[in-house]
Amino acid sequence: MRGDAMGFQRPPGTQDILPGSAGDWQLVEATARELCRRFNYREIRTPIFEATELFRRGVGETTDIVEKEMYTFEDRGGRSITLRPEGTAGVVRAYVENKLYGEPDPAKLYYIGPMFRYERAQAGRYRQFHQFGVEAIGSADPALDAEVIALGWMFYREIGLEGVRVEINSVGTPAVRAAFRGRLLEFLEPLKDRLCEDCRKRMERNPLRVLDCKVDQDKFGGAPSILDSLDGECREHFEAVQGHLQAMDIPFTINPRLVRGLDYYTHTAFEYKAEGIGAIDAIGGGGRYNGLVREIGGPDQPGVGLGIGLERTVLLLQKLRQDASRAALDVYLVSQGEAAERETVRLLHRLRQAGFKADRDYARRSMKAQLKAADRLKARYAAILGDDELSRGEIALKEMASGEQRTVRLEELVHHLTELDRSHPETRTE
Ligand code: HAM
């Protein structure tokens, strides 16, 4: 940040959400609230900062978040304070402190708000970002895991994002993980010298995270799977979750390498993934956390929840809209009659020389079929040339989106399109 004559700039990793995209944010937030209404989750708003110790205990000492990403400072009263890096720990703290126990029903809560992590900024990764999250505390029923996964799935659907994948895994209980850690270390030990520095560090502190490493992924082909270490109870829970997802027709894949970056998970862990934001594919995630409430000083109550990144959702939404509005072809040449067809060869060449993405029919289809092809190929314009037009030295230009048609002089076609282009640069193809 600079305060000189150049003026101030926003801190790295933060964003100004300007009026131009505020509508997208409102849509995303309204969808989240409406879904929570239908699923019977109620809103909770907790402080943006909490005692540092809450996150150390809740998120876990050996996680990247606690080790290197927290905004921690001492306030004027000498307390160690941290800007929340995620929402679950604070909600669980509030659940315990305010005794929100809904027994025998689970407390079903949701929140929308900013989170803070000191991460390396990149496309889709910020230091202040926003999450929509839900937490259901007080039941170990696998149907509740499935409900939470379904809520996230419907959220993306209702926003209009179709290509979102759901990956699930079971990370078992702490005892299962301890046993698996041993097997995993046996596998990793001989590879150690060839692993990246991060992985070597993780081997000591949090070996399960090693499997998550993007750099060394190709070396883990023969790694043991945590699914083989699950005990009977874990397996039963995991299978029940899958059964419920199937009953709701929610497609998912099992990813035994999915470990997540927070330590509180037990049993179910899941992520929503999508292509389109640079190297990032995780757009939301969550899981069950049966030990967390007790760890934070509350009763022994199980919980399950999810967190959805709103910047990533908005980015995908904007990309989707751009893709939809961008035409795939500038001009599709439609012609009928021999002379017109010969002229088409020349015109097409001229258009391409002028930089337009242009194509034509090579199947001698009827005019009507050629126009259909123009539509299917997402052409911005169809340029229609029959022998009649040709004899007058003209061509009909049809804007496909509006259906608007005008006649231009043949010699003017390239010039005319260039002018149109200049007034609507946003509609150019790539
Ligand atoms: P998380 O996977 O750490 O889980 O974060 C959830 C989502 O927040 C991510 O999938 C991503 O979309 C978004 N996110 C995380 N970090 C950033 C960042 N630096 N910039 C932009 N977006 C980001 C949790 O936080 C858990 N509390 C979720 C949960 C709730 N589990 C149980 N209950």
Side-chain angles (χ1 to χ4, degrees):
M1 237 195 321
R2 298 170 57 163
D4 60 17
M6 296 291 292
F8 292 103
Q9 290 173 354
R10 57 178 188 267
T14 64
Q15 285 200 107
D16 296 313
I17 296 168
L18 301 174
S21 61
D24 290 333
W25 281 85
Q26 287 162 6
L27 168 75
V28 163
E29 289 167 5
T31 306
R33 290 183 197 284
E34 163 54 20
L35 266 179
C36 285
R37 188 192 65 79
R38 271 186 262 162
F39 278 74
N40 196 29
Y41 285 69
R42 294 162 73 210
E43 187 177 18
I44 184 166
R45 301 189 190 195
T46 64
I48 278 167
F49 58 84
E50 298 270 1
T52 301
E53 187 57 20
L54 175 68
F55 300 115
R56 289 192 170 284
R57 285 262 207 103
V59 175
E61 293 279 359
T62 62
T63 58
D64 283 354
I65 295 179
V66 170
E67 275 188 351
K68 49 191 187 199
E69 294 171 0
M70 295 206 301
Y71 279 91
T72 298
F73 59 96
E74 198 171 280
D75 72 5
R76 288 173 193 274
R79 304 172 195 88
S80 181
I81 294 292
T82 293
L83 301 185
R84 62 182 185 194
E86 59 100 50
T88 311
V91 168
V92 169
R93 197 255 325 125
Y95 166 87
V96 173
E97 188 172 341
N98 300 286
K99 300 199 168 49
L100 300 179
Y101 323 139
E103 287 162 314
D105 300 311
K108 305 212 292 183
L109 307 165
Y110 83 89
Y111 49 92
I112 298 175
M115 310 287 161
F116 305 85
R117 295 183 194 176
Y118 191 81
E119 292 199 77
R120 206 148 40 80
Q122 65 182 83
R125 177 167 292 141
Y126 307 94
R127 291 179 178 172
Q128 174 173 338
F129 61 97
H130 297 74
Q131 273 185 4
F132 156 45
V134 310
E135 313 294 347
I137 310 170
S139 166
D141 192 326
L144 203 51
D145 308 37
E147 170 176 295
V148 168
I149 295 172
L151 195 158
W153 165 255
M154 278 177 73
F155 170 78
Y156 294 116
R157 280 275 149 147
E158 302 215 347
I159 299 275
L161 301 175
E162 303 248 307
V164 176
R165 289 171 283 123
V166 182
E167 290 187 1
I168 64 171
N169 190 22
S170 173
V171 296
T173 57
V176 162
R177 274 203 300 282
F180 176 65
R181 197 173 294 129
R183 292 179 54 206
L184 183 62
L185 282 173
E186 259 171 52
F187 168 82
L188 291 173
E189 206 56 55
L191 293 175
K192 191 168 180 179
D193 296 337
R194 290 162 47 214
L195 296 182
C196 75
E197 204 185 310
D198 266 355
C199 278
R200 288 204 296 265
K201 269 195 214 139
R202 281 181 178 148
M203 269 180 73
E204 276 153 37
R205 313 175 93 121
N206 202 347
L208 267 65
R209 293 284 299 166
V210 172
L211 293 180
D212 222 16
C213 174
K214 292 223 162 74
V215 185
D216 289 324
Q217 216 26 257
D218 56 322
K219 306 189 180 83
F220 302 144
S225 162
I226 189 159
L227 297 179
D228 298 328
S229 295
L230 296 184
D231 60 26
E233 187 222 325
C234 291
R235 200 167 301 127
E236 217 171 276
H237 186 93
F238 193 39
E239 277 164 13
V241 173
Q242 292 172 49
H244 295 317
L245 291 176
Q246 279 154 358
M248 291 186 281
D249 284 327
I250 295 176
F252 61 87
T253 54
I254 296 173
N255 175 2
R257 303 256 173 95
L258 184 76
V259 276
R260 312 266 304 126
L262 305 100
D263 273 355
Y264 47 63
Y265 293 113
T266 58
H267 297 282
T268 317
F270 58 90
E271 257 168 15
Y272 302 95
K273 294 191 171 173
E275 319 306 326
I277 320 179
I280 285 172
D281 60 1
I283 56 174
R288 181 163 275 290
Y289 45 83
N290 287 354
L292 180 61
V293 183
R294 197 188 42 215
E295 180 68 34
I296 282 175
D300 193 4
Q301 289 284 7
V304 58
L306 64 72
I308 285 177
L310 296 190
E311 279 75 5
R312 293 178 190 181
T313 305
V314 168
L315 276 171
L316 287 174
L317 181 65
Q318 292 175 344
K319 187 169 179 295
L320 182 80
R321 195 172 310 122
Q322 255 174 25
D323 289 351
S325 72
R326 186 179 295 125
L329 207 58
D330 292 311
V331 191
Y332 190 80
L333 273 177
V334 173
S335 70
Q336 191 99 78
E338 259 195 56
E341 225 215 291
R342 230 172 299 123
E343 177 62 15
T344 296
V345 174
R346 193 184 71 89
L347 265 183
L348 196 56
H349 190 60
R350 294 262 302 279
L351 284 166
R352 289 168 177 164
Q353 278 178 319
F356 290 102
K357 186 171 173 186
D359 213 341
R360 56 164 284 192
D361 164 76
Y362 286 107
R364 296 184 176 269
R365 283 172 288 199
S366 68
M367 285 262 213
K368 200 170 149 215
Q370 290 185 45
L371 277 167
K372 267 202 186 143
D375 194 41
R376 199 182 52 245
L377 295 171
K378 285 200 184 154
R380 203 150 45 106
Y381 294 102
I384 308 160
L385 189 66
D387 279 339
D388 275 1
E389 280 98 336
L390 184 60
S391 64
R392 292 196 300 268
E394 293 175 338
I395 188 163
L397 192 61
K398 178 176 177 181
E399 191 185 14
M400 296 302 288
S402 63
E404 202 183 295
Q405 195 162 319
R406 67 187 95 186
T407 308
V408 280
R409 305 267 330 141
L410 252 184
E411 296 316 293
E412 295 285 312
L413 179 66
V414 172
H415 177 71
H416 193 84
L417 284 169
T418 311
E419 284 305 308
L420 282 175
D421 218 358
R422 206 166 283 157
S423 48
H424 294 287
E426 78 282 0
T427 57
R428 285 236 44 182
T429 58
E430 279 188 328

